[in-house]
């Protein structure tokens, strides 16, 4: 029995089946199929309007798909939304935080949303604010923060309830070099500890260095998917860079 | 640099195009509103024309001067409240001021919009009056159309001049808040002034009427009245004065405008020297309640938009004061609780800034909305409790307790109506757009508040039967709201 259990594949951190989203006559996402195993950092790439953010928002439960299903750690987002959302965190590209709250008040609200016990939440919040260099700003209103500082606070809020799957839309935009390095280290550590990250980025270098697997979206379809080496082979660019693959896949005539 | 007129045209053309597309985007509600306005205008025209045609003689110059003063105050109030939006809350300043565009041209374009906005704010009342005067007493009253536009120009120049002078003294953020309150006061002054002789009592009425007569007989109002009767010299003089005032405001205050826009489009730099000790709570309901209450109390601009709405209750309450004396506090506490709870609950729900965070969390939305409702009711009920405490100290403790209970009922009913159906809007637009977004719920809350205030008023007067009947209506209304209005899912853009 135990041998049988050990040989079973682990429950995917994220599984999407035939996700479709249309806005009027425009199809933003046209049948996305995706399975991501736990402990991976997955990067979504694609030109502007490819459907990256729409896909992430459907996975986060913020947009209702017209068709298809999302499963998070084995729980269906449509059938069991509360339990499916419990291990999930999402940071949009331009996070909306409460301008007239202080960082600890924001963290307290996030902890309450995920029903964290105060005894665990408070030390975690303090530790995250210290780790992300926000402790000195703990008495200031969030409206006085720069974009990068707000981005770091949103990330601290996302990490507070110890999620197992993080969805990050352009997590490094607006960050200076030191802050970007800090965030990258933090994400790598999160993945090493068994967490799963799905991020979108326009910085191919970030995807190339950090992601275990990469998916390239174009016109709402996943046109290439796999490890970097596999992508190069799929695109006939063996030994090439991710940039070569990206340009080839996203600028090729449809059908080729 | 291009000529000023060309720059002005570029900015104005863009503003008008954006406004037009915004109107077209909500064309059905626009058509509905236009239909309603057309019906009201037709009715008002029929009434005004009938009155003027059958009147034996035209109104005296003093009456007309008083009317122009009335409309002038309303336009000034509108100009002041709109000035804060047009001068400091537009998103295009980054583009306009980064381009080689003169601040004079931008300010002139914004003032042109203010002139139009101020003129339209009294259109529904003024247009039938002018047309009635023309129909009844002759075409020379067509001069009133010109006076209308000139007065709107004067109001816009005065509103902008006052706002920008305050910006110089107080800084843009404080000026914005102050002007919101003063603009509402300016509008309310007119209503209070007109009703003053009524509620001051017989002894003071002649003094009040003499005072109003003196205020009305100032050279500007008399000139407006003469212009309205078609006196071309006066019309030309008024036109030249309006243009001169608009030009002077533009040239003298464009620097204050630029600095104010720069200050409000940058993020605040306020520092907090005092160390803040945060008491961490765990319950979702408590945390949400305190979060929303803090967001309301820490936002002076929002408070300045909502709290002055109490001013419009004053004329009715001052009228009641002549009969009820200190017991007027009873209906006042009910009105304050009902009116403000509805608005603050709307701000806490529709104006929630991070619905995405809430919707992607596993938190139960019903509990969250109830906590938001409680946060919306907290400040109004605190105000109502203060009024009831004053009433108790004035020797009516029983009435104070009953009023507080009715106030709680009206506050809960009004707030429930607002949290039941949430359509997210930008926080500072929620209050302005509430009539458009939820007219049925707004009027439902007002009806509940009116029945509650009537009950409190009857009790204050010692009429137990009347009070009981009104309270029964209020209770049935409250039960009906809870039974019929269910919490509906959040209306999201997708």
């Amino acid at each position: 029995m135990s041998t049988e259990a050990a040989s079973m594949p682990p429950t995917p951190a994220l599984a999407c089946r035939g996700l479709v989203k249309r806005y009027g006559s425009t199809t933003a996402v046209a049948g996305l199929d995706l399975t991501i195993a736990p402990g991976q950092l997955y990067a979504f790439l694609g030109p502007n309007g490819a459907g990256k953010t729409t896909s992430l928002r459907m996975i986060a439960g913020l947009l209702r798909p017209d068709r298809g299903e999302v499963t998070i750690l084995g729980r269906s987002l449509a059938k069991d939304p509360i339990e499916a959302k419990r291990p999930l965190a999402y940071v949009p590209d331009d996070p909306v935080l409460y301008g007239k709250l202080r960082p600890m008040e924001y963290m307290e609200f996030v902890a309450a949303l995920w029903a964290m016990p105060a005894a665990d939440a408070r030390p975690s919040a303090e530790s995250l604010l210290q780790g992300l260099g926000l402790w000195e700003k703990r008495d200031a209103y969030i409206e006085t923060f720069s974009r990068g500082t707000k981005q770091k606070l949103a990330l601290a809020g996302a990490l507070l309830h110890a999620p197992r799957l993080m969805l990050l839309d352009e997590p490094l935009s607006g960050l200076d070099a030191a802050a970007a390095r800090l965030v990258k280290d933090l994400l790598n550590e999160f993945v090493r500890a068994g967490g799963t990250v799905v991020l979108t980025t326009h910085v191919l270098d970030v995807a190339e260095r950090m992601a275990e697997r990469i998916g390239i979206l174009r016109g709402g379809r996943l046109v290439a998917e796999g490890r970097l080496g596999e992508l190069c082979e799929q695109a006939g660019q063996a030994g090439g860079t991710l940039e070569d693959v990206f340009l080839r896949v996203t600028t090729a005539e449809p059908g080729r | 640099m291009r000529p000023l007129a060309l720059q002005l045209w570029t900015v104005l053309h863009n503003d008008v195009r954006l406004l037009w597309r915004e109107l077209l985007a909500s064309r059905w509600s626009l058509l509905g509103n236009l239909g309603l306005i057309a019906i009201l205008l037709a009715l008002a025209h029929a009434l005004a024309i009938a009155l003027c045609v059958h009147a034996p003689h035209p109104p005296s110059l003093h009456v007309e001067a008083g009317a122009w003063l009335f409309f002038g105050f309303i336009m000034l109030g509108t100009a002041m409240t709109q000035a804060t939006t047009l001068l400091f809350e537009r998103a295009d300043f980054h583009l306009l001021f980064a381009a080689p565009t003169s601040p004079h041209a931008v300010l002139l374009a914004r003032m042109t919009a203010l002139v139009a906005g101020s003129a339209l704010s009294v259109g529904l009342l003024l247009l039938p009056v002018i047309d009635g005067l023309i129909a009844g007493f002759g075409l020379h009253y067509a001069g009133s159309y010109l006076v209308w536009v000139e007065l709107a120009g004067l109001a816009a120049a005065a509103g902008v001049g006052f706002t920008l002078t305050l910006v110089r003294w107080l800084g843009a953020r404080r000026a914005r808040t102050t002007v919101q309150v003063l603009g509402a006061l300016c509008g309310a002054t007119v209503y209070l002034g007109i009703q003053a002789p009524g509620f001051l009592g017989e002894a003071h009425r002649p003094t009040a009427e003499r005072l109003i007569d003196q205020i009305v007989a100032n050279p500007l109002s008399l000139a407006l009245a003469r212009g309205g009767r078609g006196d071309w010299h006066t019309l030309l003089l008024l036109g030249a004065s309006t243009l001169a005032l608009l030009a002077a405001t533009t040239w003298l205050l464009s620097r204050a405008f630029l600095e104010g826009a720069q200050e409000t489009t940058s993020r605040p730099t306020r520092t907090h020297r005092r160390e803040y000790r945060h008491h961490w709570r765990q319950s979702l309901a408590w945390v949400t309640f305190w979060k929303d209450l803090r967001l309301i109390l820490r936002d002076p601009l929002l408070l300045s938009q909502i709290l002055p709405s109490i001013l419009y209750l004053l004329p009715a309450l001052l009228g009641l004061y002549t009969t009820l004396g200190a017991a007027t506090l009873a209906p006042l506490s009910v009105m304050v609780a009902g009116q403000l709870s509805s608005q603050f609950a709307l701000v806490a729900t529709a104006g929630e800034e991070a619905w995405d965070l809430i919707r992607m969390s596993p938190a139960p939305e019903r509990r969250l909305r109830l906590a938001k409702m409680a946060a919306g009711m907290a400040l109004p009920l605190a105000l109502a409790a203060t009024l009831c405490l004053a009433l108790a100290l004035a020797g009516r403790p029983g009435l104070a307790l009953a009023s507080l209970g009715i106030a709680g009922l009206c506050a809960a009913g009004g707030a429930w109506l607002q949290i039941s159906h949430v359509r997210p809007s930008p926080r500072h637009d929620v209050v302005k757009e509430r009539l458009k977004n939820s007219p049925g719920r707004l009027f439902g809350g007002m009806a509940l508040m009116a029945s509650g205030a009537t009950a409190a008023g009857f009790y204050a007067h010692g009429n137990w039967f009347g009070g009981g009947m009104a309270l029964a209506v209020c209770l049935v209304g409250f039960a009906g709201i809870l039974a019929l209005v269910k919490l509906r899912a959040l209306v999201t853009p997708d």
Side-chain angles (χ1 to χ4, degrees):
Chain A
M1 184 76 181
S2 60
T3 320
E4 205 174 293
S7 63
M8 278 175 67
T11 307
L14 172 67
C16 302
R17 294 281 166 267
L19 276 191
V20 174
K21 184 70 192 174
R22 291 193 191 90
Y23 295 106
S25 58
T26 308
T27 303
V29 177
L32 178 69
D33 287 307
L34 189 67
T35 304
I36 301 173
Q40 279 193 355
L41 196 151
Y42 189 96
F44 259 136
L45 306 180
N48 292 330
K52 303 184 294 292
T53 298
T54 306
S55 301
L56 278 197
R57 288 178 67 80
M58 280 195 286
I59 296 167
L62 296 172
L63 279 179
R64 200 177 303 115
D66 294 324
R67 235 183 20 230
E69 194 186 15
V70 177
T71 311
I72 294 162
L73 289 155
R75 291 186 187 273
S76 162
L77 190 62
K79 291 176 190 148
D80 191 4
I82 301 291
E83 288 310 312
K85 285 174 182 178
R86 216 174 281 286
L88 188 66
Y90 168 61
V91 182
D93 59 339
D94 192 7
V96 180
L97 306 169
Y98 302 97
K100 303 237 177 252
L101 288 190
R102 298 183 171 93
M104 280 299 264
E105 292 165 349
Y106 172 72
M107 298 294 266
E108 180 193 39
F109 182 55
V110 174
L113 286 175
W114 267 267
M116 287 182 76
D120 297 340
R122 183 167 194 147
S124 296
E126 287 177 359
S127 155
L128 279 165
L129 292 184
Q130 280 163 352
L132 283 161
L134 297 167
W135 189 245
E136 295 304 310
K137 294 177 184 290
R138 66 188 181 281
D139 293 333
Y141 287 161
I142 296 169
E143 67 182 5
T144 63
F145 291 2
S146 68
R147 185 164 186 251
T149 310
K150 283 181 184 166
Q151 190 84 10
K152 283 198 280 185
L153 180 60
L155 195 62
L159 286 165
L160 181 63
H161 65 279
R164 291 165 65 196
L165 171 62
M166 285 184 77
L167 309 171
L168 308 169
D169 199 356
E170 296 285 347
L172 303 179
S173 69
L175 297 182
D176 60 29
R181 178 65 177 269
L182 186 72
V183 171
K184 281 190 268 186
D185 289 348
L186 214 139
L187 293 180
N188 283 328
E189 199 179 309
F190 177 77
V191 170
R192 271 198 300 276
T196 310
V197 173
V198 180
L199 60 81
T200 70
T201 182
H202 282 295
V203 187
L204 300 184
D205 193 40
V206 168
E208 198 165 350
R209 282 164 188 252
M210 291 179 69
E212 195 171 326
R213 285 173 65 209
I214 296 165
I216 302 177
L217 281 167
R218 183 192 177 194
R221 289 179 192 283
L222 197 61
V223 287
E225 207 260 338
R227 293 172 192 277
L228 180 58
E230 293 166 0
L231 286 177
C232 291
E233 277 177 25
Q234 283 173 32
Q237 299 270 328
T241 63
L242 180 59
E243 189 179 27
D244 298 329
V245 176
F246 181 82
L247 290 175
R248 178 159 184 109
V249 170
T250 57
T251 56
E253 290 292 319
R256 283 184 66 190
Chain B
M1 194 181 267
R2 291 176 305 155
L4 188 68
L6 198 59
Q7 293 179 41
L8 175 65
W9 165 246
T10 308
V11 179
L12 256 184
H13 176 244
N14 193 45
D15 282 357
V16 171
R17 183 169 51 191
L18 290 174
L19 177 69
W20 179 243
R21 289 190 181 158
E22 202 176 304
L23 288 174
L24 282 185
S26 54
R27 65 178 69 111
W28 293 115
S29 95
L30 175 71
L31 281 176
N33 289 339
L34 284 180
L36 184 67
I37 290 169
I39 292 168
L40 289 175
L41 267 179
L43 289 173
H45 268 86
L47 183 69
I49 291 170
L51 283 175
C52 290
V53 165
H54 292 103
H57 49 77
S60 71
L61 196 69
H62 269 59
V63 169
E64 287 174 21
W68 283 117
L69 201 63
F70 168 78
F71 289 117
F73 260 88
I74 295 181
M75 286 197 262
L76 180 61
T78 307
M80 283 165 70
T81 44
Q82 286 188 352
T84 56
T85 310
L86 281 171
L87 298 182
F88 303 122
E89 290 171 16
R90 293 290 298 267
D92 56 359
F93 288 130
H94 286 115
L95 174 66
L96 290 175
F97 292 137
T101 307
S102 157
H104 295 128
V106 182
L107 182 56
L108 256 181
R110 298 291 187 252
M111 285 219 284
T112 310
L114 270 181
V115 174
S118 304
L120 287 174
S121 69
V122 295
L124 204 58
L125 286 174
L126 185 52
L127 192 62
V129 173
I130 295 175
D131 291 341
L133 287 170
I134 292 171
F137 305 110
L139 201 58
H140 60 282
Y141 270 105
S144 298
Y145 288 121
L146 270 179
V147 174
W148 181 6
V149 177
E150 287 165 349
L151 192 54
L154 287 173
V160 169
F162 183 71
T163 305
L164 291 179
T165 307
L166 277 183
V167 168
R168 276 187 173 168
W169 290 344
L170 305 174
R173 286 197 171 81
R174 281 186 194 148
R176 195 167 53 166
T177 309
T178 312
V179 167
Q180 286 280 339
V181 177
L182 292 177
L185 272 175
C186 191
T189 304
V190 179
Y191 296 107
L192 289 174
I194 287 173
Q195 299 211 1
F199 56 70
L200 280 175
E202 289 298 325
H204 300 288
R205 190 167 295 164
T207 320
E209 284 173 351
R210 209 175 317 123
L211 187 67
I212 289 175
D213 210 38
Q214 280 171 3
I215 293 170
V216 164
N218 72 76
L220 177 62
S221 335
L222 291 174
L224 291 167
R226 275 194 291 273
R229 290 180 172 191
D231 179 358
W232 283 104
H233 291 102
T234 313
L235 281 173
L236 283 174
L237 188 67
L238 276 172
S241 309
T242 305
L243 288 176
L245 196 64
L246 284 168
T249 309
T250 307
W251 258 257
L252 293 174
L253 294 171
S254 61
R255 187 169 181 80
F257 166 57
L258 181 62
E259 287 169 0
Q262 285 166 341
E263 186 187 327
T264 45
T265 50
S266 63
R267 62 173 192 271
T269 51
R270 190 175 39 213
T271 52
H272 296 261
R273 291 194 185 86
R274 187 167 57 87
E275 192 181 335
Y276 174 72
R277 289 192 177 280
H278 179 62
H279 173 67
W280 192 285
R281 294 174 185 86
Q282 183 170 324
S283 145
L284 175 66
W286 266 114
V287 171
T288 308
F289 170 80
W290 280 109
K291 181 211 82 159
D292 280 308
L293 189 57
R294 279 188 192 114
L295 290 175
I296 288 170
L297 293 175
R298 289 175 184 173
D299 196 340
L301 183 61
L302 185 75
L303 292 172
S304 72
Q305 285 177 343
I306 293 178
L307 291 179
S309 64
I310 303 175
L311 289 171
Y312 292 96
L313 303 173
L314 282 180
L317 289 162
L318 287 170
L320 280 176
Y321 183 76
T322 53
T323 321
L324 299 178
T328 309
L329 290 172
L332 176 62
S333 62
V334 175
M335 286 189 198
V336 164
Q339 166 108 345
L340 296 183
S341 285
S342 164
Q343 296 192 44
F344 282 125
L346 181 69
V347 166
T349 46
E352 163 65 51
E353 292 162 284
W355 271 119
D356 274 4
L357 174 70
I358 291 171
R359 286 172 59 219
M360 66 139 311
S361 78
E365 205 185 302
R366 185 185 173 86
R367 202 182 308 164
L368 261 159
R369 283 210 219 172
L370 288 175
K372 285 173 171 292
M373 174 178 156
M377 289 166 60
L379 183 61
L381 281 182
L383 285 173
T386 311
L387 294 170
C388 289
L389 183 66
L391 184 60
L393 292 174
R396 305 285 300 268
L399 179 63
L401 204 61
S403 302
L404 190 59
I406 299 171
L409 202 69
C410 293
W416 176 266
L417 283 170
Q418 296 304 332
I419 66 152
S420 60
H421 184 231
V422 181
R423 186 184 292 276
S425 307
R427 197 167 177 84
H428 287 109
D429 291 340
V430 164
V431 182
K432 293 176 198 159
E433 306 247 324
R434 69 187 189 281
L435 187 62
K436 197 164 71 182
N437 288 340
S438 56
R441 288 184 297 282
L442 189 70
F443 289 123
M446 282 168 71
L448 185 72
M449 180 187 79
S451 60
T454 308
F458 274 131
Y459 286 137
H461 196 247
N463 184 340
W464 293 96
F465 177 73
M469 292 297 284
L471 183 60
V473 171
C474 183
L475 283 168
V476 169
F478 181 72
I481 285 171
L482 289 190
L484 300 174
V485 184
K486 302 291 179 199
L487 282 189
R488 285 163 64 183
L490 188 72
V491 180
T492 49
D494 70 294

